[in-house]
C-alpha cells in the first residue's frame, strides 16, 4: 500500500515537472554533444597539426642553414610582420599582390558577410575609423537584416509552403500532416540540390585549388553562417571577371540564406516538431492566467464604477443649485 502510494506520488511529481525534466535532459544532451565534438575534432585534427608544426620547424631550420647571414630573431620578426598583415587580408606573395581587398565589389562582399553574420575573417578593417564604422554599421544593419529576412521568408513561406499544403489537403483530401511532411522533405531536397550540390560543382570548376568536397564545405559553412574563412572564393591569382564573380557570390549567399530560412520555417511548422518543442518550454499556469484575467476585469470594473460614482456626485452637486433656482422661481410668482 505504501509502495503504491509512493510510486503514484513520484509519478505525479514527474508529470507535474515534466517540462523541467525535459529541459534538464536537453541541457545535458547539448553539453555531451559539445564534448563529443571536441573529442572528435581533437582526435582527427591534432595529428595533422603536429605534422605541420614539424614541417615548419624543418623548413625554418633549413632556411637558416642556407642563409647564415640572417639570424633567427630577424627571421621571426619578418615572419611575424608577414603573418600580422596576412590576418588583415594583405599578402606579400607576388601572385596575390594584384587583388585589392577594398575595391567596391570586395567591400560589397564584405558588407554582405557582416550583415548576414557570416564573417569569413579574410578581410577586416585596417583603420580605426573603419573599425568604428563597422561597429555602427553592424548595430544598425544586423537588426535591419533580420527584419528584412523575416519579412521575405514570411511572404515566401505563404506561397511556397502553406498554400500548396492547404491545396493538396482540400483538393485531394490528403492528410494535412502527411502532406506537410512530404512537402518539407521535397523542399529540403530541392534546396540542397540548388544551393549546395550545383554551386559546389560550379565552384570546383571556377576555383583552381578546390575539389568538390571543399566546394561543398564552403557552401555549407557559408549558408549556415558559420563562416570559418578558410575557403573564400574569388581570391585566386588572376581570377577572371573577379568583380562580376564577387557580385555573383554575394547574390548567391543572400538567396541561399533566404532559402535555408524558408526550409527551416517549413520544418518548424510541422505538427510533430511543434509537439516536440513544447516538451522543453515552460507551460503557462492556467490558474495564473485566470487570476490575471480576473484582476484585469476587476480593475476595469472598479474604474467603471469609480467613473459612475463620480458622475453621480457631480449630479448631486448640481442638483441643489437647480433646486434652489426652481424654488426661487416658484416663490417669486407666489409673492407677487
Amino acid at each position: 500500500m505504501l509502495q503504491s502510494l509512493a510510486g503514484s506520488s513520484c509519478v505525479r511529481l514527474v508529470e507535474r515537472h515534466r517540462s523541467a525534466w525535459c529541459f534538464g535532459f536537453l541541457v545535458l544532451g547539448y553539453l555531451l554533444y559539445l564534448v563529443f565534438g571536441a573529442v572528435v575534432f581533437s582526435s582527427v585534427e591534432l595529428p595533422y597539426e603536429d605534422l605541420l608544426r614539424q614541417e615548419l620547424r624543418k623548413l625554418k631550420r633549413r632556411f637558416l642553414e642556407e642563409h647564415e647571414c640572417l639570424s633567427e630573431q630577424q627571421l621571426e620578426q619578418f615572419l611575424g610582420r608577414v603573418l600580422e598583415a596576412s590576418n588583415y587580408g594583405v599578402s606579400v606573395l607576388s601572385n596575390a599582390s594584384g587583388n585589392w581587398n577594398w575595391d567596391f565589389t570586395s567591400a560589397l562582399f564584405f558588407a554582405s558577410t557582416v550583415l548576414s553574420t557570416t564573417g569569413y575573417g579574410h578581410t577586416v578593417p585596417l583603420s580605426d575609423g573603419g573599425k568604428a564604422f563597422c561597429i555602427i554599421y553592424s548595430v544598425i544593419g544586423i537588426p535591419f537584416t533580420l527584419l528584412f529576412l523575416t519579412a521575405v521568408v514570411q511572404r515566401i513561406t505563404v506561397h511556397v509552403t502553406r498554400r500548396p499544403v492547404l491545396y493538396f489537403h482540400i483538393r485531394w483530401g490528403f492528410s494535412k500532416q502527411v502532406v506537410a511532411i512530404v512537402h518539407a522533405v521535397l523542399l529540403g531536397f530541392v534546396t540542397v540540390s540548388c544551393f549546395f550540390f550545383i554551386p559546389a560543382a560550379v565552384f570546383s570548376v571556377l576555383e583552381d585549388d578546390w575539389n568538390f568536397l571543399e566546394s561543398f564545405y564552403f557552401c555549407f559553412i557559408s549558408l549556415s553562417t558559420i563562416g570559418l574563412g578558410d575557403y573564400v572564393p574569388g581570391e585566386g591569382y588572376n581570377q577572371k571577371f573577379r568583380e562580376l564573380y564577387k557580385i555573383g557570390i554575394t547574390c548567391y549567399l543572400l538567396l541561399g540564406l533566404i532559402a535555408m530560412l524558408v526550409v527551416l520555417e517549413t520544418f518548424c511548422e510541422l505538427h510533430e516538431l511543434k509537439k516536440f518543442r513544447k516538451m522543453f518550454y515552460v507551460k503557462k499556469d492556467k490558474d495564473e492566467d485566470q487570476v490575471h484575467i480576473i484582476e484585469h476585469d476587476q480593475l476595469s470594473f472598479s474604474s467603471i464604477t469609480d467613473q459612475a460614482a463620480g458622475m453621480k456626485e457631480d449630479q448631486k452637486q448640481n442638483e441643489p443649485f437647480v433646486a434652489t433656482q426652481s424654488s426661487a422661481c416658484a416663490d417669486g410668482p407666489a409673492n407677487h
Side-chain angles (χ1 to χ4, degrees):
M1 182 68 179
L2 293 176
Q3 292 180 354
S4 62
L5 290 175
S8 61
S9 61
C10 291
V11 170
R12 272 189 263 108
L13 180 63
V14 171
E15 288 294 332
R16 185 180 303 173
H17 302 282
R18 184 179 180 182
S19 177
W21 283 102
C22 291
F23 180 74
F25 285 120
L26 178 65
V27 173
L28 179 61
Y30 186 77
L31 294 177
L32 291 176
Y33 194 72
L34 285 176
V35 174
F36 169 73
V39 171
V40 173
F41 283 126
S42 178
S43 60
V44 171
E45 296 297 329
L46 193 59
Y48 288 93
E49 181 185 0
D50 185 46
L51 291 176
L52 185 59
R53 287 177 180 271
Q54 293 178 7
E55 182 181 356
L56 288 177
R57 292 193 191 101
K58 291 179 181 179
L59 289 175
K60 179 182 175 182
R61 190 182 308 113
R62 185 184 306 169
F63 183 84
L64 291 175
E65 290 175 355
E66 293 176 355
H67 302 82
E68 296 179 355
C69 61
L70 184 65
S71 65
E72 184 177 359
Q73 184 179 1
Q74 291 175 338
L75 178 61
E76 289 185 353
Q77 289 179 354
F78 174 73
L79 292 177
R81 181 57 180 163
V82 169
L83 292 175
E84 183 181 357
S86 179
N87 292 331
Y88 286 97
V90 179
S91 177
V92 297
L93 299 177
S94 59
N95 59 356
S97 60
N99 297 333
W100 291 89
N101 294 324
W102 293 106
D103 55 353
F104 177 75
T105 53
S106 299
L108 180 65
F109 179 70
F110 172 77
S112 66
T113 58
V114 169
L115 295 184
S116 62
T117 66
T118 303
Y120 292 112
H122 70 294
T123 302
V124 294
L126 301 176
S127 62
D128 293 337
K131 295 174 183 177
F133 177 74
C134 184
I135 295 174
I136 300 173
Y137 185 73
S138 302
V139 168
I140 299 174
I142 291 177
F144 188 28
T145 304
L146 293 176
L147 176 62
F148 166 73
L149 292 176
T150 302
V152 172
V153 170
Q154 190 272 337
R155 291 175 179 272
I156 295 177
T157 304
V158 170
H159 297 282
V160 174
T161 298
R162 295 173 185 172
R163 289 186 178 180
V165 171
L166 190 62
Y167 172 78
F168 280 98
H169 172 63
I170 295 176
R171 180 69 175 80
W172 301 99
F174 294 113
S175 173
K176 192 174 182 180
Q177 297 180 5
V178 175
V179 174
I181 294 174
V182 174
H183 175 268
V185 172
L186 291 177
L187 184 63
F189 177 76
V190 172
T191 302
V192 170
S193 300
C194 294
F195 290 95
F196 287 91
F197 287 107
I198 296 177
V202 173
F203 283 127
S204 63
V205 174
L206 296 179
E207 297 291 333
D208 297 332
D209 300 331
W210 294 12
N211 55 29
F212 181 80
L213 177 60
E214 293 170 336
S215 302
F216 189 89
Y217 169 80
F218 163 76
C219 295
F220 177 80
I221 292 298
S222 299
L223 297 185
S224 59
T225 68
I226 298 174
L228 296 178
D230 48 352
Y231 289 92
V232 180
E235 300 296 326
Y237 176 61
N238 288 333
Q239 178 71 50
K240 296 181 180 179
F241 308 104
R242 185 172 183 269
E243 291 78 10
L244 184 62
Y245 189 35
K246 284 287 187 180
I247 294 176
I249 295 170
T250 303
C251 296
Y252 160 73
L253 293 177
L254 183 60
L255 294 176
L257 183 59
I258 292 174
M260 289 288 291
L261 292 175
V262 170
V263 173
L264 289 176
E265 181 67 20
T266 301
F267 275 93
C268 288
E269 288 186 355
L270 294 178
H271 180 69
E272 289 75 9
L273 290 182
K274 287 183 178 179
K275 289 177 62 178
F276 180 73
R277 293 201 311 269
K278 287 181 180 179
M279 293 173 56
F280 309 102
Y281 293 165
V282 177
K283 295 182 180 180
K284 293 183 179 180
D285 192 355
K286 295 182 180 180
D287 296 335
E288 293 182 358
D289 294 338
Q290 292 176 358
V291 169
H292 290 310
I293 293 173
I294 293 173
E295 290 179 353
H296 179 72
D297 293 340
Q298 288 179 351
L299 180 62
S300 302
F301 180 75
S302 61
S303 60
I304 293 172
T305 53
D306 291 340
Q307 291 178 359
M311 293 175 63
K312 288 181 179 180
E313 290 180 358
D314 293 338
Q315 290 178 358
K316 288 180 180 180
Q317 290 178 359
N318 294 330
E319 282 177 359
F321 178 73
V322 175
T324 51
Q325 270 191 340
S326 60
S327 62
C329 292
D331 292 338
N335 294 328
H336 289 295

